[in-house]
Amino acid sequence: MNKNKINLNINLYSYGYSLNFLNLKIKKMNLDNLLKKHSKLDLNGIELPIDTLFSKINKFDDFYNKFSKKYKFYICFDDITNLNYNYLDYFNKLNIKNIRVRMPQDYNTVYGGNKFLIKKYKKNLNKFKNILNKYKNYFLKNNFFFCIENHQDLNSYDLIEIINELGSDFIGINWDIGNSIACGETPHDFFKNASKYIRNIHLKDYDIYFNGKIVKLNRVPLGKGYLKNINIKKFINHNASKSIELGAQVSRKCFVSNKRYWQFYNFDKIKIQRYYKFIIKNKNQKDNISDYEKNYSSKIIKNNEFNDFVSSYNYIRDYLK
């Protein structure tokens, strides 16, 4: 990696409040203005959920034409059922080949790795695999890849099982470092198990709180949570694209004391013990909830989302010195 060039992308999920991904009764920040605030940062690209931010392809096309000279684009779908061949033909023309997706859930999305709370988990998983397989021929013909995120539902073993079943020639992994913890794995365990399949990385930190029953993952800038205690150089030096994605404004709860939690993870005692050792070593004594959960004003939350991103950018930049 060229240390004088930080190949980092801005991930717009970092601005979940500012862009109103929470569907609150607030004024959504103008996307153009948001990006212009980052103009002094040496950013490589933009990662964004196209189906959430843009109702039609032509609206995204206008946005793309404004910023494509400065930034590369990395596309996500919040709901894979919104994907279609019109999108793919369009992406093919733009040479956007990696499509980040996540497993759909029929009801309210369950986070925290609590698979036992996901209604009809196996049905959702099979539906997901059928959709992936539907596009296999197109992806192979046009050199596309699905990048499945470990979206606090699927861990490295789940993802590798999907890849082995459907094919590593069109399916890879979008690894969210922080989300590893939600599914019973340390970041190092996830990376060791699945690094050869990783095509995109979300750099995410969490402030970990553990009361003996629940592991709680609170939003913090990079370097303010567990990341400061581990060596992330091999993650950063991986040849995958990388974006800064800060945690959601709503803290994630992992109900690890519930026996049903672990029934969905085929881990031996040694792996589970290693996980708890990691949690205890990196936990905070205080439950540091987010600005949104503290009921801060909208102005403060939006300002802090930007400040947190800049702080995270500087953390990675300084880490590489």
Side-chain angles (χ1 to χ4, degrees):
M1 176 178 289
N2 181 353
K3 292 185 179 181
N4 295 319
K5 172 67 176 179
I6 304 175
N7 286 319
L8 289 174
N9 304 322
I10 176 175
N11 192 315
L12 294 184
Y13 286 108
S14 295
Y15 293 92
Y17 183 89
S18 298
L19 295 175
N20 200 21
F21 293 159
L22 297 174
N23 294 317
L24 304 171
K25 293 181 179 180
I26 61 171
K27 185 178 180 181
K28 179 179 176 180
M29 190 169 184
N30 179 275
L31 188 53
D32 291 10
N33 292 339
L34 176 62
L35 286 175
K36 289 174 183 177
K37 290 181 67 174
H38 298 76
S39 60
K40 293 183 179 180
L41 303 182
D42 185 16
L43 293 167
N44 173 69
I46 305 168
E47 184 172 342
L48 56 83
I50 189 170
D51 55 334
T52 297
L53 288 175
F54 302 95
S55 58
K56 296 179 180 179
I57 291 180
N58 64 333
K59 291 187 177 182
F60 170 76
D61 192 59
D62 292 339
F63 177 76
Y64 176 86
N65 290 331
K66 288 181 185 178
F67 292 98
S68 58
K69 290 183 179 180
K70 182 176 176 61
Y71 300 114
K72 293 182 180 179
F73 275 72
Y74 300 82
I75 297 300
C76 311
F77 277 85
D78 273 336
D79 185 350
I80 192 175
T81 62
N82 290 327
L83 179 64
N84 56 51
Y85 289 107
N86 289 332
Y87 272 120
L88 292 176
D89 288 342
Y90 174 71
F91 297 147
N92 202 23
K93 291 178 182 178
L94 300 180
N95 198 34
I96 298 174
K97 299 292 187 175
N98 286 343
I99 311 297
R100 172 270 189 193
V101 293
R102 58 187 173 102
M103 185 184 74
Q105 296 184 27
D106 288 342
Y107 302 91
N108 293 333
T109 302
V110 173
Y111 298 98
N114 303 300
K115 290 186 183 180
F116 68 96
L117 295 178
I118 300 177
K119 295 183 179 179
K120 300 181 180 179
Y121 168 76
K122 290 185 177 180
K123 179 182 177 182
N124 288 328
L125 180 58
N126 288 330
K127 175 184 176 182
F128 183 44
K129 290 190 289 188
N130 287 337
I131 295 173
L132 297 173
N133 211 36
K134 170 185 174 181
Y135 293 106
K136 181 174 184 176
N137 290 337
Y138 186 100
F139 273 51
L140 292 176
K141 181 180 178 180
N142 295 285
N143 197 30
F144 273 76
F145 267 85
F146 280 119
C147 301
I148 307 174
E149 182 175 349
N150 56 321
H151 200 253
Q152 301 200 8
D153 47 14
L154 304 175
N155 65 9
S156 66
Y157 296 90
D158 299 320
L159 295 172
I160 291 172
E161 185 175 327
I162 294 173
I163 291 170
N164 288 338
E165 179 180 343
L166 300 182
S168 61
D169 47 2
F170 81 109
I171 297 178
I173 292 174
N174 184 121
W175 180 37
D176 186 305
I177 297 177
N179 286 355
S180 306
I181 303 168
C183 293
E185 291 182 285
T186 70
H188 289 297
D189 282 348
F190 189 108
F191 188 81
K192 181 179 179 179
N193 193 37
S195 61
K196 70 178 181 179
Y197 299 114
I198 295 172
R199 298 182 66 87
N200 190 46
I201 296 175
H202 290 170
L203 300 170
K204 181 188 289 179
D205 202 353
Y206 274 124
D207 189 82
I208 301 172
Y209 176 72
F210 181 49
N211 63 5
K213 294 183 178 181
I214 298 173
V215 172
K216 195 174 180 188
L217 306 175
N218 295 317
R219 173 193 174 100
V220 286
L222 300 186
K224 299 297 184 181
Y226 72 88
L227 277 187
K228 66 178 178 289
N229 299 325
I230 66 175
N231 187 344
I232 63 171
K233 187 171 291 186
K234 61 183 176 181
F235 306 157
I236 297 173
N237 287 334
H238 192 280
N239 60 5
S241 53
K242 303 164 193 73
S243 68
I244 295 174
E245 183 189 325
L246 303 184
Q249 290 285 350
V250 178
S251 301
R252 306 311 190 195
K253 297 178 181 178
C254 315
F255 301 113
V256 295
S257 65
N258 191 311
K259 292 182 179 179
R260 295 179 64 198
Y261 175 94
W262 294 105
Q263 288 174 359
F264 282 84
Y265 299 104
N266 190 24
F267 295 156
D268 57 31
K269 289 184 179 179
I270 295 176
K271 290 180 180 177
I272 296 176
Q273 289 173 354
R274 187 160 62 240
Y275 173 78
Y276 276 113
K277 184 178 180 180
F278 175 88
I279 294 298
I280 292 171
K281 180 181 178 181
N282 292 284
K283 71 175 182 176
N284 198 321
Q285 297 302 316
K286 296 182 179 180
D287 184 7
N288 293 318
I289 59 178
S290 71
D291 293 343
Y292 170 71
E293 291 167 322
K294 292 174 183 174
N295 295 316
Y296 283 2
S297 70
S298 183
K299 182 179 180 180
I300 290 176
I301 296 173
K302 290 176 180 178
N303 285 339
N304 284 348
E305 282 193 330
F306 176 71
N307 292 335
D308 287 349
F309 186 91
V310 174
S311 172
S312 299
Y313 169 89
N314 289 331
Y315 176 77
I316 298 298
R317 183 195 63 186
D318 293 340
Y319 195 92
L320 294 173
K321 287 182 178 179

